[in-house]
Amino acid sequence: MLKYLINPMQKPNGKGILLPGYDEQAAKDVMAFHSKLPGYAKTPLRHLSGLAGLLGLGAIFVKDESTRFGLQSFKALGGSYAAARLVAKKIGLDPAELSRLGNGVSDFLPKAQKMTFITATDGNHGRGIAWVARQLGQKAVVLMPKGSADERVRHILSLGADCFVTEKNYDDTVRQAGEMAAANNWELMQDTAWPGYEEVPEWIMQGYLTLALEACEDLKQAGKQPTHILLQAGVGSMAAAVAAFFVNAMPASRPRIIIVEPQAADCFYASGLANDGLPHAVGGDLATIMAGLACGEPSSLAWPIIRDHAFAFLSLADPLAALGMRVLAAPRQGDPAILSGESGAGPLGALAFACRYSQDAAPAKALGLEKDSVVLAISTEGDTSPAMYEEIVWQGAKPLQL
């Protein structure tokens, strides 16, 4: 149900800025850009004190991304920043100017050449790219792997993008998007990196710093420092960016970064098991209800950060994602309810299992989860597939079988 591995490759705590480009000033610059986009608002940090008491923890905070830009997912943060950086590069605008645009992206739209963005996605990233393409007056083409939910396709089409479902898994669909970009002279806007393709993916990662900075500011206001941060990893871009931010922000007492993946696509867990310093892929159809995490190959940019700074890797079965969705939807007395989809709720399901439903205390003990622990988790999405959400949370059609 839940496999865990303490990372044998992690580096000791350091001093100063360890990871350039992911420090507080970089995050402030990215947030300044996002604040000029239509619909920007800081997403809430939910304090689940009742759940923390039930699980024997000091505090649980959940960054709720279900309302981000009205798209129900954090993904537009990365896509919008990367697209703006790309347009700025093509018109010769200094990237530093992006944080000082008086009227946001409309300030440089008249100078932007017409482009077609293409990406592969399990849903949320493609929706974000379609949204930002519309904001920038550009065209978007989105490819989705086999088995993608019709609702997620419709969300992308509603934003004016072209959307096609392939007969391939996620990683092969990424390769197809790259081939189409090269053949048609389109701009590949992929949130995973590989040798030779790292500029745009790094901009996407830096776009996620807004999320990290917002959470950090709200934790400071609450008078708390996280001891544990649970981060979902598909290709690892969001997890690596948030981890890098907190490693820089808390160099001498960094939180325990815990990477969470579905068992059907646990490439970081597999890489940790290999313990050779290299990223390792997992194959197959990557079938999981956690569609946003159904990625079998680590990003070349994310892997070194996660390899060096993650404390542990968790590989969880689908019923734990369902458990997390129900835990958040039916809160303890005094806690707010959180609308969280399958990929968003995985960390909370893993946390509940480790601290309460496991047959022994081994997982919680190994992860250092105890009465003084302050846990930060990211609910990365809302009900991006309402039919599946209803099936799991309302109808209970996905048994837990703990």
Side-chain angles (χ1 to χ4, degrees):
M1 185 62 65
L2 177 68
K3 299 186 292 184
Y4 60 92
L5 174 70
I6 305 304
N7 180 14
M9 299 170 288
Q10 63 183 311
K11 290 184 175 179
N13 290 357
K15 295 181 180 179
I17 301 302
L18 302 178
L19 296 158
Y22 297 92
D23 56 30
E24 184 176 6
Q25 186 55 56
K28 287 181 176 178
D29 289 342
V30 174
M31 185 190 287
F33 163 75
H34 282 134
S35 69
K36 305 291 177 55
L37 293 180
Y40 170 78
K42 178 189 285 189
T43 55
L45 185 70
R46 311 289 191 187
H47 185 194
L48 304 184
S49 57
L51 181 61
L54 177 68
L55 300 184
L57 301 172
I60 297 173
F61 292 90
V62 178
K63 179 70 167 163
D64 181 0
E65 289 293 300
S66 64
T67 60
R68 182 71 72 180
F69 291 122
L71 299 173
Q72 299 181 293
S73 165
F74 76 102
K75 284 286 191 174
L77 290 172
S80 60
Y81 184 68
R85 285 291 301 264
L86 180 64
V87 172
K89 179 180 179 179
K90 288 185 177 294
I91 64 175
L93 180 70
D94 186 332
E97 293 300 313
L98 290 177
S99 63
R100 296 191 284 268
L101 294 173
N103 298 304
V105 294
S106 62
D107 281 2
F108 63 78
L109 282 185
K111 300 179 182 179
Q113 67 186 69
K114 290 296 182 182
M115 292 178 283
T116 296
F117 301 147
I118 183 169
T119 192
T121 181
D122 288 306
N124 292 336
H125 172 66
R127 192 176 181 183
I129 292 297
W131 177 79
V132 73
R134 188 167 70 174
Q135 300 297 321
L136 295 173
Q138 308 296 348
K139 181 179 178 181
V141 177
V142 179
L143 305 184
M144 301 185 71
K146 64 181 178 181
S148 295
D150 290 341
E151 290 166 303
R152 293 189 171 110
V153 174
R154 288 195 295 271
H155 287 155
I156 292 168
L157 291 172
S158 71
L159 291 167
D162 294 336
C163 185
F164 307 96
V165 178
T166 73
E167 292 301 317
K168 304 173 180 178
N169 68 15
Y170 171 81
D171 299 296
D172 288 335
T173 301
V174 168
R175 282 183 269 275
Q176 182 175 336
E179 292 165 0
M180 291 176 67
N184 294 284
N185 197 29
W186 293 344
E187 301 294 340
L188 182 62
M189 300 296 295
Q190 204 56 56
D191 56 348
T192 188
W194 53 86
Y197 179 71
E198 294 186 327
E199 184 176 56
V200 168
E202 180 151 44
W203 292 337
I204 289 174
M205 287 175 61
Q206 290 171 335
Y208 300 147
L209 289 174
T210 290
L211 178 161
L213 181 59
E214 289 176 356
C216 184
E217 289 178 344
D218 285 347
L219 283 168
K220 286 180 180 178
Q221 188 172 359
K224 299 290 186 180
Q225 279 196 334
T227 61
H228 296 72
I229 305 179
L230 277 62
L231 297 171
Q232 300 92 322
V235 298
S237 293
M238 183 277 289
V242 175
F245 174 86
F246 278 96
V247 166
N248 282 332
M250 303 172 61
S253 58
R254 72 175 182 228
R256 291 185 169 183
I257 305 295
I258 299 173
I259 302 301
V260 180
E261 301 173 279
Q263 285 184 359
D266 55 358
C267 53
F268 286 93
Y269 179 87
S271 300
L273 278 178
N275 191 22
D276 59 7
L278 301 174
H280 291 264
V282 298
D285 61 9
L286 310 176
T288 171
I289 64 170
M290 291 170 269
L293 307 179
C295 311
E297 300 177 17
S299 166
S300 64
L301 289 173
W303 168 244
I305 296 172
I306 291 173
R307 176 196 62 204
D308 293 348
H309 301 291
F311 173 75
F313 304 101
L314 301 187
S315 173
L316 58 149
D318 281 356
L320 292 188
L323 171 62
M325 294 168 70
R326 293 168 184 158
V327 165
L328 293 174
R332 301 289 291 178
Q333 185 173 4
D335 288 354
I338 298 175
L339 183 71
S340 185
E342 310 83 54
S343 297
L348 270 295
L351 187 66
F353 182 84
C355 295
R356 183 172 175 85
Y357 294 111
S358 176
Q359 293 181 350
D360 57 46
K365 184 176 181 180
L367 298 171
L369 292 165
E370 50 194 24
K371 61 181 179 63
D372 294 325
S373 297
V374 177
V375 178
L376 170 64
I378 317 294
S379 177
T380 53
E381 63 176 2
D383 60 338
T384 53
S385 178
M388 182 173 287
Y389 185 87
E390 179 179 336
E391 180 183 6
I392 294 171
V393 176
W394 296 2
Q395 300 175 26
K398 303 284 185 184
L400 291 181
Q401 297 176 344
L402 297 176

